[in-house]
Amino acid sequence: FLAELDRYYISEDFANVFFKNIQPQDIGRAKSFLKFYLKKNLTDSKRANTVLDIYRHCFPDDHLKIIRITLMGNDNLDFFKELEFVNSYFFGPGHLNVAELKANAQEKILDVVSKLPHAYKYIQHKAHLKEEIMYQKKRADDERKREFLKHVW
């Protein structure tokens, strides 16, 4: 039903509600629906991001697989840059280095992209990811320096 309502968009935060605590016998149907919805919306980054977010939070074991499906369905670089592969929010203790977590997550995405068939189609994608990883690693180093300097010696 929701897949047929092209004029409606359900934000990823709200859409997760439909896929939390699914009965084991319904997980296959839920994943089939999400793959269908993704394939139908492979030019709409908002809707693709909704599916990626649902997989990241509700089906984390298959998150990298759905990223692969997404990229094989649409290899457009501009579309790729609009995708949110990593959480935009993290919860944890005050000393949690979010930039380091993001860099680690992006390295996993880079590994997925590196293993895609027709690797030449994804050279710019990998370059973009490498830039993002370097940016996050620099932020992580800066955060470690700030934490170190906070201590009274």
Side-chain angles (χ1 to χ4, degrees):
F1 169 73
L2 290 173
E4 295 173 7
L5 299 175
D6 283 338
R7 58 191 167 174
Y8 297 106
Y9 165 70
I10 299 175
S11 79
E12 57 264 13
D13 294 333
F14 182 71
N16 282 327
V17 171
F18 294 112
F19 298 93
K20 294 276 185 191
N21 302 317
I22 290 183
Q23 297 300 313
Q25 67 270 17
D26 296 328
I27 289 175
R29 268 187 41 212
K31 289 179 181 180
S32 292
F33 165 75
L34 288 169
K35 287 176 187 173
F36 165 79
Y37 185 76
L38 175 67
K39 289 176 182 176
K40 185 177 179 191
N41 293 287
L42 275 172
T43 57
D44 184 333
S45 62
K46 279 186 175 181
R47 292 176 184 205
N49 278 325
T50 297
V51 174
L52 291 173
D53 192 68
I54 291 168
Y55 264 83
R56 183 170 42 251
H57 293 288
C58 301
F59 309 114
D61 293 342
D62 292 328
H63 182 237
L64 296 177
K65 291 176 191 171
I66 203 70
I67 289 171
R68 178 180 164 79
I69 290 169
T70 303
L71 297 178
M72 289 180 67
N74 184 346
D75 60 11
N76 179 279
L77 182 62
D78 292 328
F79 174 76
F80 177 78
K81 289 179 178 181
E82 293 175 3
L83 296 177
E84 298 170 9
F85 297 114
V86 181
N87 275 339
S88 57
Y89 51 88
F90 288 90
F91 296 100
H95 63 279
L96 182 69
N97 193 323
V98 173
E100 190 168 348
L101 292 175
K102 286 185 176 185
N104 291 340
Q106 288 170 329
E107 285 176 334
K108 290 177 184 173
I109 307 305
L110 178 61
D111 187 52
V112 169
V113 174
S114 297
K115 292 177 181 173
L116 289 172
H118 310 293
Y120 62 89
K121 291 167 60 173
Y122 302 99
I123 291 171
Q124 291 178 310
H125 300 66
K126 292 188 328 189
H128 174 72
L129 275 172
K130 288 176 183 178
E131 283 179 27
E132 289 292 319
I133 291 166
M134 291 307 297
Y135 172 75
Q136 293 299 339
K137 286 185 175 188
K138 170 132 179 41
R139 284 188 56 218
D141 285 344
D142 291 345
E143 182 60 29
R144 279 190 283 279
K145 288 175 191 172
R146 273 192 297 280
E147 283 297 314
F148 178 77
L149 294 174
K150 265 204 263 184
H151 295 330
V152 178
W153 299 99

